[in-house]
Coordinates of all heavy atoms in Angstrom, one line a residue:
M261 N -17.3 3.0 32.0 CA -16.5 4.2 31.9 C -15.0 3.9 31.7 O -14.3 4.6 31.1 CB -16.8 5.1 33.2 CG -16.3 6.5 33.0 SD -17.2 7.3 31.7 CE -16.7 8.9 32.0
K262 N -14.6 2.9 32.5 CA -13.2 2.4 32.4 C -12.9 2.0 31.0 O -11.7 2.3 30.5 CB -13.0 1.3 33.4 CG -11.6 0.9 33.5 CD -11.4 -0.2 34.6 CE -10.0 -0.7 34.7 NZ -9.8 -1.7 35.6
T263 N -13.7 1.3 30.3 CA -13.5 0.8 29.0 C -13.3 2.0 28.0 O -12.5 1.9 27.2 CB -14.7 -0.1 28.5 OG1 -15.0 -1.1 29.4 CG2 -14.4 -0.6 27.1
I264 N -14.1 3.0 28.1 CA -14.0 4.2 27.3 C -12.6 4.8 27.5 O -11.9 5.2 26.5 CB -15.1 5.2 27.6 CG1 -16.4 4.6 27.2 CG2 -14.8 6.5 26.9 CD1 -17.6 5.5 27.5
G265 N -12.2 4.9 28.7 CA -10.8 5.5 29.0 C -9.7 4.6 28.3 O -8.7 5.2 27.8
V266 N -9.8 3.3 28.5 CA -8.8 2.4 27.9 C -8.8 2.5 26.3 O -7.7 2.7 25.7 CB -9.1 1.0 28.3 CG1 -8.2 0.0 27.5 CG2 -8.9 0.8 29.8
V267 N -10.0 2.6 25.8 CA -10.0 2.7 24.3 C -9.4 4.1 23.9 O -8.7 4.2 22.9 CB -11.5 2.6 23.8 CG1 -11.6 2.9 22.3 CG2 -12.0 1.1 24.0
L268 N -9.8 5.1 24.5 CA -9.2 6.5 24.2 C -7.7 6.5 24.4 O -7.1 7.0 23.5 CB -9.9 7.5 25.2 CG -9.5 9.0 24.9 CD1 -9.8 9.4 23.5 CD2 -10.1 9.9 25.9
A269 N -7.2 5.8 25.4 CA -5.8 5.8 25.7 C -5.1 5.1 24.5 O -4.0 5.5 24.0 CB -5.4 5.1 27.0
L270 N -5.7 3.9 24.1 CA -5.1 3.2 22.9 C -5.1 4.0 21.6 O -4.2 3.9 20.9 CB -5.8 1.8 22.8 CG -5.6 0.8 23.9 CD1 -6.5 -0.4 23.6 CD2 -4.1 0.4 23.9
C271 N -6.1 4.7 21.4 CA -6.2 5.6 20.2 C -5.2 6.7 20.3 O -4.5 7.0 19.2 CB -7.7 6.2 20.1 SG -8.9 5.0 19.7
L272 N -5.0 7.2 21.4 CA -4.0 8.2 21.5 C -2.5 7.7 21.3 O -1.7 8.3 20.7 CB -4.0 9.0 22.8 CG -5.3 9.9 23.0 CD1 -5.4 10.4 24.4 CD2 -5.3 11.0 22.0
L273 N -2.4 6.6 21.8 CA -1.0 5.9 21.7 C -0.7 5.5 20.3 O 0.4 5.4 19.8 CB -0.9 4.7 22.6 CG -0.7 5.0 24.1 CD1 -0.7 3.7 24.9 CD2 0.6 5.8 24.4
G274 N -1.8 5.2 19.6 CA -1.6 4.7 18.2 C -1.0 5.9 17.4 O -0.4 5.7 16.3
G275 N -1.3 7.1 17.7 CA -0.8 8.3 17.0 C 0.6 8.6 17.3 O 1.2 9.6 16.8
C276 N 1.3 7.9 18.2 CA 2.6 8.2 18.6 C 3.8 7.5 17.8 O 4.9 7.5 18.2 CB 2.8 7.8 20.1 SG 1.8 8.8 21.3
G277 N 3.3 6.8 16.8 CA 4.3 6.1 16.0 C 5.3 7.2 15.2 O 4.8 8.3 15.0
T278 N 6.5 6.8 14.9 CA 7.3 7.7 14.3 C 7.1 7.6 12.8 O 6.9 6.5 12.2 CB 8.8 7.3 14.6 OG1 9.1 6.0 14.2 CG2 9.1 7.5 16.0
Y279 N 7.2 8.7 12.1 CA 7.0 8.8 10.7 C 8.2 9.7 10.2 O 8.4 10.9 10.6 CB 5.7 9.4 10.3 CG 5.6 9.5 8.8 CD1 5.3 8.4 8.0 CD2 5.8 10.7 8.2 CE1 5.2 8.6 6.6 CE2 5.7 10.9 6.8 CZ 5.3 9.9 6.0 OH 5.3 9.9 4.7
H280 N 9.0 9.2 9.2 CA 10.0 10.0 8.8 C 9.8 10.4 7.3 O 9.2 9.6 6.5 CB 11.4 9.1 8.7 CG 11.8 8.7 10.0 ND1 12.4 9.5 11.0 CD2 11.7 7.4 10.7 CE1 12.7 8.8 12.1 NE2 12.3 7.6 11.9
T281 N 10.0 11.7 7.1 CA 9.8 12.2 5.7 C 10.8 11.7 4.8 O 11.9 11.1 5.2 CB 9.8 13.7 5.7 OG1 11.2 14.1 6.0 CG2 8.8 14.3 6.6
M282 N 10.5 11.8 3.5 CA 11.6 11.3 2.5 C 12.9 12.1 2.6 O 14.0 11.5 2.5 CB 11.0 11.4 1.1 CG 9.9 10.5 0.7 SD 10.4 8.8 0.7 CE 11.4 8.8 -0.8
E283 N 12.8 13.4 3.0 CA 14.0 14.1 3.2 C 14.8 13.6 4.4 O 16.1 13.5 4.3 CB 13.7 15.6 3.4 CG 13.1 16.3 2.2 CD 11.7 16.0 1.9 OE1 10.9 15.6 2.8 OE2 11.2 16.2 0.8
E284 N 14.1 13.2 5.4 CA 14.8 12.6 6.6 C 15.5 11.3 6.3 O 16.6 11.1 6.7 CB 13.9 12.5 7.8 CG 13.4 13.8 8.4 CD 12.3 13.5 9.4 OE1 11.5 12.6 9.3 OE2 12.2 14.4 10.3
L285 N 14.7 10.5 5.5 CA 15.2 9.2 5.1 C 16.5 9.3 4.2 O 17.4 8.6 4.3 CB 14.2 8.3 4.4 CG 13.1 7.8 5.3 CD1 12.0 7.2 4.5 CD2 13.6 6.8 6.4
E286 N 16.4 10.3 3.3 CA 17.5 10.6 2.4 C 18.8 11.0 3.2 O 19.9 10.6 3.0 CB 17.1 11.6 1.4 CG 18.2 11.9 0.4 CD 17.7 12.8 -0.7 OE1 16.8 13.7 -0.4 OE2 18.2 12.8 -1.8
H287 N 18.5 11.9 4.2 CA 19.6 12.4 5.0 C 20.2 11.3 5.8 O 21.5 11.1 5.8 CB 19.1 13.5 5.9 CG 20.1 14.1 6.9 ND1 21.2 14.9 6.3 CD2 20.4 13.9 8.1 CE1 21.9 15.3 7.4 NE2 21.5 14.7 8.5
Q288 N 19.4 10.4 6.4 CA 19.9 9.3 7.1 C 20.7 8.3 6.2 O 21.7 7.7 6.6 CB 18.8 8.5 7.8 CG 18.1 9.2 8.9 CD 17.0 8.5 9.5 OE1 16.6 7.5 9.0 NE2 16.4 9.1 10.5
A289 N 20.3 8.1 4.9 CA 20.9 7.3 4.0 C 22.3 7.8 3.7 O 23.3 7.1 3.5 CB 20.1 7.1 2.7
F290 N 22.3 9.1 3.4 CA 23.7 9.8 3.2 C 24.6 9.6 4.3 O 25.8 9.3 4.1 CB 23.6 11.3 2.9 CG 23.1 11.6 1.5 CD1 22.0 12.4 1.2 CD2 24.0 11.2 0.5 CE1 21.7 12.7 0.0 CE2 23.6 11.6 -0.9 CZ 22.5 12.4 -1.1
L291 N 24.2 9.7 5.5 CA 25.0 9.5 6.7 C 25.4 8.0 6.9 O 26.6 7.7 7.2 CB 24.3 10.1 8.0 CG 24.0 11.5 8.0 CD1 23.3 11.9 9.3 CD2 25.4 12.3 7.9
S292 N 24.5 7.1 6.7 CA 24.8 5.7 7.1 C 25.2 4.9 5.9 O 25.9 3.8 6.0 CB 23.6 5.1 7.7 OG 22.5 4.9 6.7
G293 N 24.8 5.3 4.6 CA 25.1 4.6 3.5 C 24.2 3.4 3.2 O 24.2 2.8 2.2
D294 N 23.1 3.3 4.1 CA 22.1 2.3 3.9 C 20.9 2.9 3.3 O 20.2 3.7 3.9 CB 21.7 1.7 5.3 CG 20.6 0.6 5.2 OD1 20.4 0.1 4.0 OD2 20.1 0.3 6.2
W295 N 20.6 2.7 2.0 CA 19.5 3.3 1.3 C 18.3 2.4 1.3 O 17.2 2.8 0.7 CB 20.0 3.5 -0.2 CG 20.9 4.7 -0.3 CD1 22.2 4.7 -0.1 CD2 20.5 6.0 -0.5 NE1 22.7 5.9 -0.3 CE2 21.7 6.8 -0.5 CE3 19.3 6.7 -0.7 CZ2 21.7 8.2 -0.7 CZ3 19.3 8.1 -0.9 CH2 20.5 8.8 -0.9
S296 N 18.3 1.3 1.9 CA 17.1 0.4 1.9 C 15.8 1.0 2.5 O 14.7 0.8 1.9 CB 17.4 -0.9 2.6 OG 17.8 -0.8 3.9
P297 N 15.8 1.8 3.6 CA 14.6 2.4 4.0 C 14.0 3.4 3.1 O 12.9 3.5 2.9 CB 15.0 3.1 5.4 CG 16.2 2.4 5.8 CD 16.9 1.9 4.6
Y298 N 14.9 4.2 2.5 CA 14.5 5.1 1.5 C 13.9 4.4 0.2 O 12.8 4.9 -0.2 CB 15.8 6.0 1.1 CG 15.5 7.1 0.1 CD1 15.0 8.3 0.5 CD2 15.6 6.8 -1.3 CE1 14.6 9.4 -0.3 CE2 15.3 7.9 -2.2 CZ 14.8 9.1 -1.8 OH 14.5 10.1 -2.6
E299 N 14.6 3.4 -0.2 CA 14.1 2.7 -1.4 C 12.7 2.0 -1.1 O 11.8 1.9 -1.9 CB 15.1 1.7 -1.8 CG 16.3 2.4 -2.5 CD 17.4 1.4 -2.7 OE1 17.4 0.2 -2.2 OE2 18.4 1.8 -3.2
H300 N 12.6 1.5 0.1 CA 11.3 0.9 0.6 C 10.2 1.8 0.6 O 9.1 1.6 0.0 CB 11.5 0.2 2.0 CG 10.3 -0.4 2.5 ND1 9.8 -1.6 1.9 CD2 9.4 0.0 3.4 CE1 8.7 -1.9 2.7 NE2 8.4 -1.0 3.5
R301 N 10.4 3.1 1.0 CA 9.4 4.1 1.1 C 9.0 4.5 -0.4 O 7.9 4.7 -0.7 CB 9.9 5.3 1.9 CG 8.9 6.5 1.9 CD 7.6 6.2 2.8 NE 8.0 6.0 4.1 CZ 8.3 6.9 5.0 NH1 8.3 8.2 4.7 NH2 8.6 6.6 6.2
E302 N 10.0 4.6 -1.2 CA 9.8 4.9 -2.6 C 8.9 3.9 -3.3 O 7.9 4.2 -4.0 CB 11.1 5.0 -3.5 CG 11.8 6.4 -3.3 CD 12.9 6.4 -4.2 OE1 13.6 5.4 -4.6 OE2 13.2 7.5 -4.7
R303 N 9.1 2.6 -3.1 CA 8.3 1.5 -3.6 C 6.9 1.6 -3.0 O 5.9 1.4 -3.8 CB 8.8 0.2 -3.2 CG 10.1 -0.1 -4.1 CD 10.6 -1.7 -4.0 NE 10.8 -2.0 -2.7 CZ 12.1 -1.9 -2.1 NH1 13.0 -1.4 -2.8 NH2 12.2 -2.3 -0.8
Q304 N 6.8 1.9 -1.7 CA 5.4 2.1 -1.1 C 4.6 3.2 -1.8 O 3.5 3.1 -2.1 CB 5.5 2.4 0.4 CG 5.8 1.2 1.2 CD 5.9 1.5 2.7 OE1 6.3 2.6 3.0 NE2 5.6 0.6 3.5
I305 N 5.3 4.3 -2.0 CA 4.6 5.5 -2.6 C 4.2 5.1 -4.1 O 3.1 5.5 -4.5 CB 5.5 6.7 -2.6 CG1 5.7 7.2 -1.1 CG2 5.0 7.8 -3.5 CD1 6.8 8.3 -0.9
A306 N 5.1 4.5 -4.9 CA 4.8 4.1 -6.2 C 3.6 3.2 -6.2 O 2.8 3.3 -7.1 CB 6.0 3.5 -6.8
S307 N 3.6 2.2 -5.4 CA 2.5 1.3 -5.3 C 1.1 2.0 -5.0 O 0.1 1.6 -5.6 CB 2.8 0.2 -4.3 OG 1.7 -0.7 -4.1
R308 N 1.2 2.8 -4.0 CA 0.0 3.6 -3.6 C -0.5 4.4 -4.8 O -1.8 4.5 -5.0 CB 0.3 4.5 -2.4 CG -0.8 4.7 -1.5 CD -0.4 5.4 -0.2 NE 0.4 4.6 0.6 CZ 1.6 5.0 1.1 NH1 2.0 6.3 1.0 NH2 2.3 4.3 1.9
R309 N 0.4 5.1 -5.5 CA 0.0 5.9 -6.6 C -0.6 5.1 -7.8 O -1.6 5.4 -8.4 CB 1.2 6.7 -7.2 CG 1.5 7.8 -6.3 CD 2.7 8.6 -6.9 NE 3.0 9.7 -6.1 CZ 4.2 10.4 -6.0 NH1 5.1 10.0 -6.9 NH2 4.4 11.4 -5.2
Q310 N 0.0 3.9 -7.9 CA -0.5 3.0 -9.0 C -2.0 2.5 -8.7 O -2.8 2.5 -9.6 CB 0.4 1.8 -9.2 CG 0.0 0.9 -10.4 CD 1.0 -0.4 -10.5 OE1 1.7 -0.6 -9.6 NE2 0.8 -0.9 -11.7
R311 N -2.2 2.1 -7.4 CA -3.5 1.7 -7.0 C -4.5 2.8 -7.2 O -5.7 2.6 -7.6 CB -3.5 1.1 -5.6 CG -3.0 -0.3 -5.5 CD -3.2 -0.9 -4.1 NE -2.7 0.0 -3.0 CZ -1.6 -0.1 -2.4 NH1 -0.7 -1.1 -2.8 NH2 -1.3 0.7 -1.5
A312 N -4.1 3.9 -6.7 CA -5.0 5.1 -6.8 C -5.3 5.6 -8.2 O -6.4 6.1 -8.4 CB -4.4 6.3 -5.9
G313 N -4.4 5.4 -9.1 CA -4.6 5.9 -10.4 C -5.5 5.0 -11.3 O -6.0 5.5 -12.3
V314 N -5.8 3.8 -10.9 CA -6.6 3.0 -11.7 C -8.1 2.9 -11.0 O -8.2 2.5 -9.9 CB -6.1 1.5 -11.8 CG1 -7.0 0.6 -12.5 CG2 -4.7 1.6 -12.4
A315 N -9.0 3.5 -11.8 CA -10.4 3.4 -11.3 C -11.2 2.7 -12.3 O -11.3 3.0 -13.5 CB -10.9 4.8 -11.0
C316 N -11.9 1.6 -11.9 CA -12.7 0.8 -12.8 C -14.1 1.3 -12.9 O -14.7 1.7 -11.8 CB -12.6 -0.7 -12.4 SG -11.1 -1.4 -12.5
P317 N -14.7 1.2 -14.0 CA -16.1 1.7 -14.1 C -17.0 0.6 -13.5 O -16.6 -0.4 -13.1 CB -16.4 1.7 -15.7 CG -15.1 1.4 -16.3 CD -14.1 1.0 -15.3
S318 N -18.2 1.0 -13.3 CA -19.2 0.1 -12.6 C -19.4 -1.2 -13.4 O -19.3 -1.3 -14.7 CB -20.6 0.8 -12.6 OG -21.5 0.0 -12.1
G319 N -19.4 -2.3 -12.7 CA -19.5 -3.6 -13.2 C -18.1 -4.3 -13.4 O -18.1 -5.5 -13.8
L320 N -17.1 -3.5 -13.3 CA -15.8 -4.0 -13.5 C -15.0 -3.8 -12.1 O -15.3 -3.0 -11.3 CB -14.9 -3.3 -14.5 CG -15.5 -3.3 -16.0 CD1 -14.7 -2.5 -16.9 CD2 -15.6 -4.7 -16.4
M321 N -13.9 -4.8 -11.9 CA -13.2 -4.7 -10.7 C -11.7 -4.7 -11.1 O -11.3 -5.2 -12.1 CB -13.6 -5.8 -9.8 CG -13.3 -7.2 -10.3 SD -13.8 -8.4 -9.2 CE -12.5 -8.5 -8.0
L322 N -10.9 -4.1 -10.2 CA -9.5 -4.0 -10.3 C -8.8 -5.4 -10.0 O -9.1 -6.0 -8.9 CB -8.9 -2.9 -9.4 CG -7.4 -2.6 -9.6 CD1 -7.2 -2.1 -11.0 CD2 -7.0 -1.7 -8.6
Y323 N -8.1 -5.9 -10.9 CA -7.3 -7.2 -10.8 C -5.9 -6.9 -11.1 O -5.5 -6.4 -12.1 CB -7.9 -8.2 -11.7 CG -7.3 -9.5 -11.6 CD1 -7.4 -10.3 -10.5 CD2 -6.5 -10.0 -12.7 CE1 -6.8 -11.6 -10.5 CE2 -5.9 -11.2 -12.6 CZ -6.0 -12.0 -11.5 OH -5.4 -13.2 -11.4
C324 N -5.0 -7.2 -10.0 CA -3.6 -6.9 -10.1 C -2.8 -8.3 -10.0 O -3.2 -9.2 -9.3 CB -3.1 -6.0 -9.1 SG -3.9 -4.4 -9.2
I325 N -1.7 -8.4 -10.8 CA -0.9 -9.5 -10.8 C 0.6 -9.0 -10.5 O 1.0 -8.1 -11.3 CB -0.9 -10.3 -12.1 CG1 -2.4 -10.8 -12.3 CG2 0.1 -11.5 -12.1 CD1 -2.5 -11.5 -13.7
D326 N 1.2 -9.6 -9.5 CA 2.6 -9.3 -9.3 C 3.5 -10.4 -9.9 O 3.4 -11.6 -9.5 CB 2.9 -9.2 -7.8 CG 2.2 -8.0 -7.1 OD1 2.3 -7.0 -7.8 OD2 1.7 -8.1 -6.0
R327 N 4.4 -9.9 -10.7 CA 5.3 -10.9 -11.3 C 6.8 -10.4 -11.2 O 7.2 -9.5 -11.9 CB 5.0 -11.1 -12.8 CG 3.8 -11.8 -13.0 CD 3.6 -12.1 -14.5 NE 2.3 -12.7 -14.7 CZ 1.6 -12.7 -15.8 NH1 2.0 -11.9 -16.8 NH2 0.5 -13.3 -15.9
G328 N 7.4 -10.9 -10.1 CA 8.9 -10.5 -10.0 C 9.1 -9.0 -9.9 O 10.0 -8.5 -10.5
G329 N 8.3 -8.3 -9.1 CA 8.5 -6.9 -8.9 C 7.7 -6.0 -9.9 O 7.6 -4.9 -9.8
D330 N 7.2 -6.7 -11.0 CA 6.4 -6.0 -12.0 C 5.0 -6.1 -11.7 O 4.4 -7.3 -11.7 CB 6.7 -6.5 -13.4 CG 6.0 -5.7 -14.4 OD1 5.7 -4.6 -14.3 OD2 5.7 -6.4 -15.5
R331 N 4.3 -5.1 -11.4 CA 2.9 -5.3 -11.0 C 2.0 -4.8 -12.2 O 2.1 -3.6 -12.5 CB 2.6 -4.5 -9.7 CG 1.1 -4.6 -9.3 CD 0.9 -4.0 -7.9 NE -0.3 -4.5 -7.4 CZ -0.8 -4.3 -6.3 NH1 -0.1 -3.6 -5.4 NH2 -1.9 -4.8 -5.9
R332 N 1.0 -5.5 -12.6 CA 0.1 -5.1 -13.6 C -1.3 -5.2 -13.1 O -1.7 -6.3 -12.7 CB 0.4 -6.0 -14.9 CG 1.7 -5.8 -15.4 CD 1.9 -6.4 -16.8 NE 3.3 -6.2 -17.2 CZ 3.6 -6.4 -18.5 NH1 2.8 -6.9 -19.3 NH2 4.9 -6.2 -18.8
C333 N -2.0 -4.1 -13.4 CA -3.4 -4.1 -13.0 C -4.3 -3.9 -14.2 O -3.9 -3.1 -15.1 CB -3.6 -3.0 -12.0 SG -2.7 -3.3 -10.4
S334 N -5.5 -4.4 -14.2 CA -6.4 -4.1 -15.2 C -7.8 -4.3 -14.6 O -8.0 -4.9 -13.6 CB -6.2 -5.1 -16.3 OG -6.5 -6.5 -15.9
C335 N -8.8 -3.8 -15.3 CA -10.2 -3.9 -15.0 C -10.8 -5.1 -15.6 O -10.7 -5.3 -16.8 CB -11.0 -2.6 -15.4 SG -10.3 -1.1 -14.6
E336 N -11.4 -5.9 -14.8 CA -12.0 -7.2 -15.3 C -13.5 -7.2 -14.9 O -13.9 -6.6 -13.9 CB -11.3 -8.3 -14.7 CG -9.8 -8.5 -14.9 CD -9.5 -8.7 -16.4 OE1 -10.4 -9.4 -17.1 OE2 -8.4 -8.3 -16.9
S337 N -14.3 -7.9 -15.7 CA -15.6 -8.1 -15.4 C -15.8 -8.8 -14.1 O -15.2 -9.9 -13.8 CB -16.3 -8.9 -16.5 OG -17.6 -9.3 -16.2
S338 N -16.7 -8.3 -13.3 CA -17.0 -9.0 -11.9 C -17.6 -10.3 -12.2 O -17.2 -11.2 -11.4 CB -18.0 -8.1 -11.1 OG -17.5 -6.8 -10.9
E339 N -18.4 -10.5 -13.1 CA -19.1 -11.8 -13.4 C -18.1 -12.8 -13.9 O -18.0 -13.9 -13.4 CB -20.1 -11.6 -14.4 CG -21.3 -10.9 -14.0 CD -22.0 -11.5 -12.8 OE1 -22.2 -12.8 -12.8 OE2 -22.5 -10.8 -11.9
D340 N -17.1 -12.4 -14.7 CA -16.1 -13.3 -15.2 C -15.1 -13.8 -14.0 O -14.8 -14.9 -13.9 CB -15.2 -12.7 -16.3 CG -16.0 -12.4 -17.5 OD1 -17.0 -13.1 -17.7 OD2 -15.5 -11.7 -18.4
F341 N -14.9 -12.8 -13.1 CA -14.0 -13.1 -12.0 C -14.7 -14.1 -11.1 O -14.1 -15.0 -10.5 CB -13.7 -11.8 -11.3 CG -12.6 -11.9 -10.4 CD1 -11.2 -12.1 -10.9 CD2 -12.7 -12.0 -9.0 CE1 -10.1 -12.2 -10.1 CE2 -11.6 -12.1 -8.2 CZ -10.3 -12.2 -8.7
R342 N -16.1 -14.0 -10.9 CA -16.8 -14.9 -10.0 C -16.8 -16.3 -10.6 O -16.7 -17.3 -9.9 CB -18.2 -14.4 -9.8 CG -18.4 -13.3 -8.9 CD -19.8 -13.1 -8.5 NE -19.9 -11.8 -7.8 CZ -20.5 -10.7 -8.4 NH1 -21.0 -10.8 -9.5 NH2 -20.5 -9.6 -7.7
E343 N -16.9 -16.4 -12.0 CA -16.9 -17.7 -12.6 C -15.5 -18.4 -12.4 O -15.5 -19.5 -12.2 CB -17.2 -17.5 -14.1 CG -18.7 -17.2 -14.4 CD -18.9 -17.0 -15.8 OE1 -18.1 -17.4 -16.7 OE2 -19.9 -16.4 -16.2
I344 N -14.5 -17.6 -12.6 CA -13.1 -18.1 -12.3 C -13.0 -18.7 -11.0 O -12.4 -19.7 -10.7 CB -12.1 -17.1 -12.6 CG1 -12.0 -16.7 -14.1 CG2 -10.7 -17.5 -12.1 CD1 -11.2 -15.5 -14.4
L345 N -13.6 -18.0 -10.0 CA -13.5 -18.4 -8.6 C -14.4 -19.5 -8.3 O -14.6 -20.0 -7.1 CB -13.7 -17.3 -7.6 CG -12.5 -16.2 -7.6 CD1 -12.9 -15.0 -6.7 CD2 -11.2 -16.8 -7.2
G346 N -15.2 -20.0 -9.2 CA -16.1 -21.1 -8.9 C -17.5 -20.7 -8.5 O -18.2 -21.4 -7.8
G347 N -18.0 -19.5 -8.9 CA -19.3 -19.1 -8.6 C -19.5 -18.6 -7.3 O -20.6 -18.5 -6.8
W348 N -18.4 -18.1 -6.5 CA -18.6 -17.5 -5.3 C -19.3 -16.2 -5.4 O -19.2 -15.4 -6.3 CB -17.3 -17.3 -4.6 CG -16.5 -18.5 -4.1 CD1 -17.0 -19.8 -4.3 CD2 -15.3 -18.5 -3.5 NE1 -16.0 -20.6 -3.8 CE2 -14.9 -19.8 -3.3 CE3 -14.4 -17.6 -3.1 CZ2 -13.8 -20.3 -2.7 CZ3 -13.2 -18.0 -2.5 CH2 -13.0 -19.3 -2.3
R349 N -20.1 -15.9 -4.4 CA -20.9 -14.6 -4.4 C -20.7 -13.9 -3.0 O -20.8 -14.5 -2.1 CB -22.3 -14.8 -4.8 CG -22.4 -15.3 -6.2 CD -23.8 -15.2 -6.7 NE -23.8 -15.8 -8.0 CZ -24.0 -15.1 -9.1 NH1 -24.2 -13.9 -9.1 NH2 -24.1 -15.7 -10.2

């Protein structure tokens, strides 16, 4: 019973993290002049949208390459990818 209480308390504490909206980050940036948190959130959102926007058909898998801030994703054959990795399954 004690274990259940500890797990429940940890779950509840996990929801206590602070989350700032884009508007709040923008307001803080205007006040402080530091736009890095706002820009970081913009990059996170763009990355999330890019990942969500690409859906590969059956038999293909999403393969992404990051090159100096430029991320390119494409659908590749699962079998070809396994051969590249040395036949791992």
Side-chain angles (χ1 to χ4, degrees):
M261 193 66 169
K262 184 178 178 181
T263 305
I264 293 173
V266 170
V267 171
L268 181 61
L270 289 174
C271 289
L272 291 173
L273 286 175
C276 293
T278 59
Y279 178 81
H280 299 286
T281 64
M282 288 297 287
E283 291 78 19
E284 291 172 334
L285 289 175
E286 185 177 24
H287 181 69
Q288 289 175 359
F290 276 124
L291 295 176
S292 69
D294 181 16
W295 285 86
S296 57
Y298 181 84
E299 292 167 349
H300 179 72
R301 178 72 60 81
E302 279 186 327
R303 285 191 302 271
Q304 285 179 326
I305 292 170
S307 176
R308 209 172 295 132
R309 283 185 182 155
Q310 185 179 15
R311 282 193 307 266
V314 179
C316 296
S318 179
L320 299 178
M321 61 184 284
L322 184 64
Y323 179 69
C324 298
I325 299 175
D326 290 317
R327 291 186 181 148
D330 181 31
R331 183 173 197 173
R332 296 190 179 193
C333 298
S334 62
C335 294
E336 301 292 333
S337 166
S338 302
E339 292 298 320
D340 291 344
F341 199 72
R342 282 192 197 107
E343 287 178 20
I344 291 170
L345 293 176
W348 290 2
R349 294 190 187 252

